[in-house]
Amino acid sequence: MAKSYHKLILSYALCCFSALFGIQAEADVIEFSVDELAAETVLPVFEPSVSVRDRIVAKSGRFELGLGGGISLNEPFYNPQNLVGNLTYHMTEVHGINLSYTHWLDGLSSYGTQLRAGQGFPAFDPSLAPSPESLIALNYQNTAYYGKISLTKQTVMNLSIYGLAGLGAVGLSREGGYKIGAHAGVGQKVYFTPSLAFRFDLRFFAYRGPDPTTLDLDPALPPPPPDSFGQDFFFNTLLNLGLVYIL
Amino acid sequence: MNRGHLGKLLLILMMCPVAAFASAEQELSQVLAQTQRGNPQGRQAPMGQDVLAQALRLAQAGNYKDSSILLFQLSYSPRFRSRRNQIRYILGLNLFQMNLNQVAAFQFISVVREGESRYLRQALEKLSLAADNLGDDTLLNYALGRVRVDDFPRIHRDMLSYRIGEFQLRNNQFVEAAQSFSRVQRTSPLFAKAKYLQGVALTQANQLPQALRSFEDLFDSRRAFGPTDPSRVAAQMGIARVYYQQRNWARAIDTYRSVPRDTEAWHDTLFESSWAMLRSGRFRSALSNFHSLHSSYYEDFFIPESLLLRSIVYLYICKYEEMEKVLNLFNQIYRPVYNQIDRLLDSGADPTAFFNDMVRIIRDKKTQGEEGSSGSYQIPYLVGRRILREGDFQTSYNYITRLLEESRRVSQMPADWREAAIGQYAQRILQTRIARARERAGRQVRAHLESIKLELFDLFEQEGFIRYEMISGKRQAIQKRIAGRDLPQTQIDQATRRDYYIQNGFEYWPFRGEYWLDEIGNYHYVGTQSCD
């Protein structure tokens, strides 16, 4: 009933158009009826209930390349600054595989420098011990949240929050070789464009390796062999910033 | 038990008025108890009559399985030809108790076909109940065409009135249907459905104030069931549609808007309220609705008319570019659909193939949700979804589902019953009925495909007219531009500061191309018209 009625009206509306054309007026001031504005907090029913369609940032089946830098938050002796590179393949919008490479810059931290100079303590040169100089990790990445944020009336940026976990190999300086370690982290990306995003992440890696404090590292003596150090468990925290580009 | 005494028993059985009991079990017990009371000495009966007495005893003890085996044998025995109706009726009651509605219905039909007998009325009543359980239109029509309402047990009269109303509604007897529905008691579980259909019947009969009262009555009766109660929502839809028919656009729009968003019916309100908005000249509101309705959330919905309606709204506000995009989208989506339906209908496919395709769509929709559309079906997915909502197909599908359940129950019966004549008979009946029901459902699908093809053909014609108006409008717009009388292209919200929205307690998010579930229904068109 309603259908055929509508069909008639469709024709009617079309026929009336010619007559009405030119009579349209006013309406430069927008008046949204309050009745028409959102009042319900419930969601429409769709099966399955997908929170977003036609994503601006579509990652599924695409590679993502990232570059950035950061610091180790709990590194006492060595230069905490590092450079990071990431390559991620997104199997779906949620699941991905991430390969990350972190390279620490040479040198000592300010505390390490003071220790080497013997300020207040007997001189202790951490640079004579094997220290982490790179970390390569293969991770599973899960994008748990995709949303958007509006900072100004016309500016909306998409964002995502992800977690990652995997295994990695920590490369040690002074021929210390590689140590297997666990790697995990959480992060957030804020997209400037559908392909380009600012990446911020907090990562943790743990490994068992040589402990510089198990030997007296006198700056005047040659470096001891790597296997002469006692072994200990290290838990490092990395804070990184960077840019990612979806290829 | 001797022959004379069993004869007496059977006479009692035949004469005893089978009262209107709430269940066949009670009725069967009473019939059998009276039979036994008529045989106090327990005298011996000849061989065949012994078997009958045994069958009745088994039934009384609730052993319907063994009783039905014996009764079925007796129903074909020439010795009991004169009592065949009686035996078949009791056999039907046994099967009804075993939840084998279709097989039971066949026994009751046999009694009815025999014509006038003492068991005709009871058989018709039980046939109606079995048909109601099965939801089979054909059986129901058969039973209801013969039954007298006054003879029907009071306890089942609501069902009878409801089914009669449905039958009348299908046959366009709208006033009579409304009367039948109005007889359904307020306390009946069928009341809500009956009240809704009463409103529909009255609307069809163009008795709009009465229809409105009917829907409002339903709405009031469902207040306690919460805002998303399907019957309550159906009443709201009914009220809105009546207001629309009455050309009371504002109240129609308000009522559509009162339908809760988290209900299936809400999707329909988007399109239907757009019509009311168009007719009341609220173009902006209509376009706001279309933004939601034409989002990818609705890509598997069959709503071709909404695209044409959108293009007409654009025509009214002289947005020819947008209009062309919408018309192109209409062709892009529905031309292949039309061609696919055309090819399918021309292929002369077997009706069962249509049904099987629908079953695949239903199955995939259940398991994969909207992603079910990825499958390749003979019937276009969005058309299949539309057919799923058609009442006749739903009835047929539900009937087939119940037959399959009954067939499963038969195959789960003990081997002695399955291998007995009654078991084989039941399996044969069910297989035949399932095959025929599938064929019938397939024919219904075909009929709907033909109707959709015609509908699309008609809409393509409309599209041609609209396109003509678009070209004509474009020409006039160019003339105006040359004359310097065209309007600037602006967005209505350009001059409005963000504070405006925040101060009013709302948030503003500009649309950038992606659709969010929580935004569906909340989009607002902020463009301006391009002509005076």
Side-chain angles (χ1 to χ4, degrees):
Chain A
M1 168 200 73
K3 228 171 279 160
S4 54
Y5 187 57
H6 279 161
K7 228 176 265 175
L8 280 176
I9 303 302
L10 199 68
S11 310
Y12 170 79
L14 193 59
C15 294
C16 288
F17 169 71
S18 302
L20 288 173
F21 187 80
I23 301 176
Q24 308 302 314
E26 63 214 83
D28 260 348
V29 176
I30 187 166
E31 291 264 354
F32 284 129
S33 161
V34 174
D35 292 341
E36 288 187 20
L37 297 176
E40 286 197 70
T41 52
V42 292
L43 300 175
V45 182
F46 290 96
E47 287 179 8
S49 184
V50 178
S51 59
V52 60
R53 284 180 177 267
D54 295 347
R55 287 169 182 249
I56 289 178
V57 180
K59 298 181 299 185
S60 183
R62 296 170 73 183
F63 282 95
E64 180 186 290
L65 192 63
L67 287 173
I71 54 167
S72 301
L73 295 179
N74 58 349
E75 175 52 60
F77 302 134
Y78 305 103
N79 188 348
Q81 294 171 354
N82 57 57
L83 297 172
V84 186
N86 280 290
L87 180 66
T88 309
Y89 177 70
H90 297 280
M91 294 167 292
T92 66
E93 294 295 344
V94 175
H95 306 289
I97 297 288
N98 164 266
L99 181 69
S100 76
Y101 177 78
T102 308
H103 183 83
W104 278 271
L105 301 183
D106 288 340
L108 297 174
S109 67
S110 58
Y111 292 120
T113 311
Q114 288 170 34
L115 287 168
R116 184 166 62 183
Q119 291 173 2
F121 294 98
F124 175 80
D125 186 1
S127 66
L128 299 177
S131 64
E133 62 178 12
S134 66
L135 166 69
I136 186 160
L138 187 66
N139 305 294
Y140 160 72
Q141 181 171 309
N142 185 295
T143 305
Y145 173 82
Y146 173 77
K148 61 180 181 177
I149 185 169
S150 169
L151 300 175
T152 69
K153 182 185 148 198
Q154 294 294 351
T155 309
V156 176
M157 290 193 290
N158 289 94
L159 54 91
S160 65
I161 294 175
Y162 59 89
L164 46 84
L167 287 175
V170 181
L172 300 172
S173 61
R174 296 202 174 277
E175 297 174 351
Y178 284 90
K179 300 287 180 189
I180 299 296
H183 181 255
V186 290
Q188 180 169 335
K189 289 176 214 161
V190 179
Y191 291 88
F192 304 115
T193 73
S195 299
L196 185 67
F198 171 74
R199 173 179 169 138
F200 164 84
D201 55 18
L202 185 66
R203 295 184 294 144
F204 313 96
F205 77 93
Y207 72 99
R208 191 172 165 76
D211 180 2
T213 61
T214 55
L215 295 178
D216 293 330
L217 298 175
D218 188 340
L221 297 174
D227 54 2
S228 62
F229 289 90
Q231 299 289 305
D232 204 353
F233 185 78
F234 293 90
F235 184 85
N236 289 7
T237 308
L238 302 173
L239 187 65
N240 290 107
L241 303 172
L243 290 174
V244 294
Y245 188 79
I246 301 175
L247 302 171
Chain B
M1 188 186 291
N2 63 30
R3 179 194 286 265
H5 195 78
L6 186 71
K8 201 166 135 195
L9 288 182
L10 292 175
L11 189 66
I12 293 167
L13 178 59
M14 285 197 295
M15 290 181 68
C16 74
V18 184
F21 295 107
S23 73
E25 185 178 19
Q26 282 174 304
E27 180 170 332
L28 193 53
S29 298
Q30 179 150 342
V31 170
L32 298 172
Q34 289 188 14
T35 307
Q36 287 211 334
R37 277 201 300 278
N39 182 20
Q41 291 95 16
R43 281 176 279 174
Q44 291 297 306
M47 185 60 178
Q49 289 166 348
D50 250 356
V51 176
L52 178 57
Q54 190 192 350
L56 298 178
R57 271 197 306 276
L58 286 167
Q60 193 178 28
N63 189 345
Y64 306 118
K65 174 180 77 73
D66 292 338
S67 172
S68 60
I69 293 173
L70 295 177
L71 286 169
F72 186 75
Q73 286 170 351
L74 293 177
S75 72
Y76 282 94
S77 165
R79 182 181 286 182
F80 290 94
R81 182 171 295 149
S82 60
R83 292 172 192 127
R84 190 162 287 161
N85 279 344
Q86 206 182 347
I87 293 168
R88 283 191 172 156
Y89 176 64
I90 297 171
L91 173 61
L93 290 180
N94 273 286
L95 294 166
F96 191 71
Q97 281 303 311
M98 293 161 74
N99 207 8
L100 302 178
N101 290 297
Q102 181 66 63
V103 191
F106 269 57
Q107 302 310 312
F108 298 132
I109 288 172
S110 306
V111 177
V112 173
R113 274 195 185 146
E114 289 292 320
E116 277 306 319
S117 82
R118 289 184 185 281
Y119 289 91
L120 176 64
R121 186 174 61 80
Q122 292 97 319
L124 274 172
E125 177 205 324
K126 289 294 175 293
L127 177 60
S128 309
L129 296 180
D132 182 49
N133 289 346
L134 287 165
D136 179 24
D137 282 349
T138 316
L139 269 181
L140 268 168
N141 293 349
Y142 181 80
L144 299 182
R146 288 162 177 77
V147 81
R148 276 173 42 199
V149 179
D150 294 338
D151 289 345
F152 215 71
R154 193 167 293 277
I155 196 163
H156 295 309
R157 273 195 203 157
D158 288 332
M159 183 278 287
L160 186 66
S161 300
Y162 176 76
R163 292 299 188 181
I164 289 173
E166 273 192 330
F167 178 75
Q168 289 166 331
L169 190 59
R170 273 197 298 274
N171 291 296
N172 298 338
Q173 298 167 279
F174 303 122
V175 177
E176 294 83 352
Q179 279 166 357
S180 298
F181 288 127
S182 70
R183 285 193 203 103
V184 176
Q185 303 289 309
R186 203 163 272 276
T187 48
S188 165
L190 290 168
F191 174 76
K193 280 183 182 175
K195 198 42 99 178
Y196 177 75
L197 290 178
Q198 184 188 348
V200 171
L202 288 167
T203 311
Q204 300 274 45
N206 207 26
Q207 296 182 9
L208 300 181
Q210 293 89 329
L212 194 58
R213 274 200 296 279
S214 186
F215 288 127
E216 282 170 346
D217 186 11
L218 173 59
F219 182 77
D220 291 339
S221 73
R222 306 296 292 187
R223 277 188 193 280
F225 293 85
T228 56
D229 170 55
S231 300
R232 192 175 187 260
V233 172
Q236 286 173 294
M237 294 295 287
I239 292 168
R241 285 165 183 163
V242 171
Y243 281 136
Y244 184 89
Q245 294 270 61
Q246 290 179 327
R247 298 168 172 253
N248 190 342
W249 316 123
R251 295 193 80 165
I253 293 167
D254 285 346
T255 314
Y256 278 124
R257 198 169 285 135
S258 68
V259 172
R261 190 163 297 205
D262 51 344
T263 57
E264 285 288 341
W266 182 78
H267 302 300
D268 295 330
T269 68
L270 274 182
F271 176 55
E272 292 180 25
S273 64
S274 302
W275 264 111
M277 287 161 178
L278 172 74
R279 301 205 67 195
S280 57
R282 293 165 67 171
F283 301 137
R284 183 184 309 288
S285 304
L287 286 171
S288 301
N289 273 3
F290 289 133
H291 197 93
S292 294
L293 204 54
H294 298 147
S295 70
S296 45
Y297 277 97
Y298 290 94
E299 65 189 7
D300 289 328
F301 285 60
F302 184 80
I303 38 177
E305 200 182 326
S306 70
L307 284 166
L308 295 190
L309 193 59
R310 185 175 187 170
S311 70
I312 287 178
V313 177
Y314 281 133
L315 184 66
Y316 275 115
I317 61 171
C318 310
K319 290 282 185 193
Y320 303 114
E321 301 292 321
E322 300 299 325
M323 192 179 168
E324 190 163 14
K325 279 184 209 165
V326 172
L327 291 176
N328 290 343
L329 184 66
F330 171 80
N331 277 314
Q332 192 186 319
I333 297 172
Y334 291 104
R335 188 69 71 178
V337 169
Y338 178 85
N339 292 338
Q340 196 175 342
I341 294 174
D342 194 36
R343 275 197 304 273
L344 187 56
L345 290 173
D346 281 351
S347 71
D350 177 39
T352 313
F354 289 118
F355 176 75
N356 290 341
D357 213 35
M358 288 300 294
V359 171
R360 284 179 57 217
I361 290 175
I362 294 168
R363 192 187 54 214
D364 290 354
K365 188 169 177 280
K366 268 187 195 158
T367 54
Q368 301 163 36
E370 308 297 336
E371 308 303 325
S373 59
S374 58
S376 56
Y377 312 102
Q378 284 189 326
I379 299 171
Y381 184 71
L382 72 177
V383 173
R385 279 180 59 121
R386 150 88 174 263
I387 295 173
L388 285 184
R389 295 182 65 180
E390 299 290 347
D392 59 347
F393 180 77
Q394 277 183 358
T395 305
S396 296
Y397 183 75
N398 290 338
Y399 174 51
I400 292 166
T401 307
R402 282 173 198 146
L403 286 178
L404 289 170
E405 283 165 6
E406 190 166 325
S407 174
R408 210 168 297 128
R409 276 195 293 279
V410 165
S411 60
Q412 285 166 355
M413 291 290 284
D416 62 331
W417 193 90
R418 272 187 286 124
E419 285 158 15
I422 179 69
Q424 289 174 15
Y425 168 80
Q427 281 167 343
R428 208 168 43 244
I429 278 184
L430 288 170
Q431 291 317 312
T432 310
R433 289 305 303 157
I434 289 168
R436 290 201 178 149
R438 280 180 170 151
E439 210 171 293
R440 182 171 167 231
R443 283 197 300 273
Q444 286 168 340
V445 174
R446 187 183 174 92
H448 286 301
L449 285 173
E450 279 165 358
S451 147
I452 288 169
K453 184 184 156 190
L454 281 177
E455 183 187 334
L456 281 175
F457 184 81
D458 190 41
L459 290 174
F460 283 125
E461 246 181 17
Q462 301 274 353
E463 188 261 349
F465 291 132
I466 296 169
R467 207 175 270 279
Y468 170 78
E469 289 293 350
M470 180 188 74
I471 293 164
S472 168
K474 268 184 176 176
R475 183 175 50 80
Q476 292 187 42
I478 291 167
Q479 285 170 347
K480 281 186 179 179
R481 198 173 303 148
I482 292 167
R485 287 190 289 120
D486 60 324
L487 295 181
Q489 300 292 311
T490 54
Q491 289 286 107
I492 216 98
D493 69 333
Q494 279 178 353
T496 311
R497 291 171 47 219
R498 187 182 177 82
D499 291 351
Y500 168 83
Y501 301 99
I502 295 166
Q503 280 162 16
N504 286 287
F506 295 100
E507 290 178 30
Y508 175 87
W509 293 83
F511 177 72
R512 299 188 311 145
E514 66 185 0
Y515 291 95
W516 291 83
L517 184 59
D518 57 346
E519 292 176 353
I520 293 292
N522 290 329
Y523 293 111
H524 294 281
Y525 183 74
V526 291
T528 51
Q529 61 188 50
S530 297
C531 54
D532 286 327

